[in-house]
Amino acid sequence: MTPFALVYTLHLLAALVWVGGMFFAWMILRPAAIAALEGPARLKLWTEVFQRFFVWVWVAVVLLPISGVGLIHMRFAGFETAPRYVQIMIGLYVVMTALFIRIQGLQLPALRKAVAAQDWPTGAAVLGKIRQLVGINLLIGLLVVAIGAARPMF
């Protein structure tokens, strides 16, 4: 395996874990949890899911820029010669990371606090906010994947 192939593979796997995890949570786990669990159990489930998933998101958040910068230098000899689509992907990564940090730093502690206090209405409201932010991040992530796959030259 060439160095480029190794770095590219790590980059794709990190994106797959983050975006694929959000897709699974939004499209599969959420509807199944709504169908199978009462509110309190659902809130407890989500606190456990986020705790485990966010570890992997942090791995992606760290690995994506490291591997991305490596790919830029291997393929384009630097930021100056990188195509516009790469620059757009970098910008969208920053937006996704900011949304994730908002969820991790503000919403998740509020959800944990509500669940620990068995304040189910507050927990449900916080989970709704998290769902919205994850939905936005999922759409942005899918856009980044589409841009990376299509490599539009604009």
Side-chain angles (χ1 to χ4, degrees), residues 14-78:
L16 176 68
V17 165
W18 190 0
V19 177
M22 289 188 297
F23 183 88
F24 173 79
W26 183 271
M27 300 300 292
I28 310 301
L29 183 57
R30 181 177 170 270
I34 289 169
L37 300 172
E38 296 297 320
R42 215 170 30 243
L43 292 171
K44 291 176 185 177
L45 170 72
W46 280 110
T47 59
E48 293 296 323
V49 167
F50 292 139
Q51 179 178 330
R52 288 166 175 77
F53 178 55
F54 285 2
V55 170
W56 290 103
V57 175
W58 276 114
V59 170
V61 163
V62 170
L63 189 56
L64 284 166
I66 292 169
S67 59
V69 169
L71 290 169
I72 287 170
H73 286 287
M74 284 189 256
R75 173 79 189 236
F76 305 113

Side-chain angles (χ1 to χ4, degrees), residues 51-146:
Q51 179 178 330
R52 288 166 175 77
F53 178 55
F54 285 2
V55 170
W56 290 103
V57 175
W58 276 114
V59 170
V61 163
V62 170
L63 189 56
L64 284 166
I66 292 169
S67 59
V69 169
L71 290 169
I72 287 170
H73 286 287
M74 284 189 256
R75 173 79 189 236
F76 305 113
F79 290 100
E80 303 81 27
T81 58
R84 175 88 36 153
Y85 78 87
V86 172
Q87 297 166 6
I88 292 169
M89 291 172 69
I90 292 168
L92 292 174
Y93 161 83
V94 171
V95 173
M96 288 181 69
T97 300
L99 287 171
F100 168 67
I101 290 171
R102 179 177 174 86
I103 295 167
Q104 173 82 48
L106 298 176
Q107 305 300 325
L108 189 56
L111 178 62
R112 286 183 182 140
K113 182 179 177 183
V115 169
Q118 297 184 356
D119 182 356
W120 309 124
T122 299
V126 173
L127 185 59
K129 291 176 188 173
I130 292 172
R131 180 183 56 80
Q132 289 174 343
L133 293 172
V134 170
I136 293 166
N137 240 9
L138 173 58
L139 291 174
I140 296 168
L142 291 171
L143 177 62
V144 171
V145 169

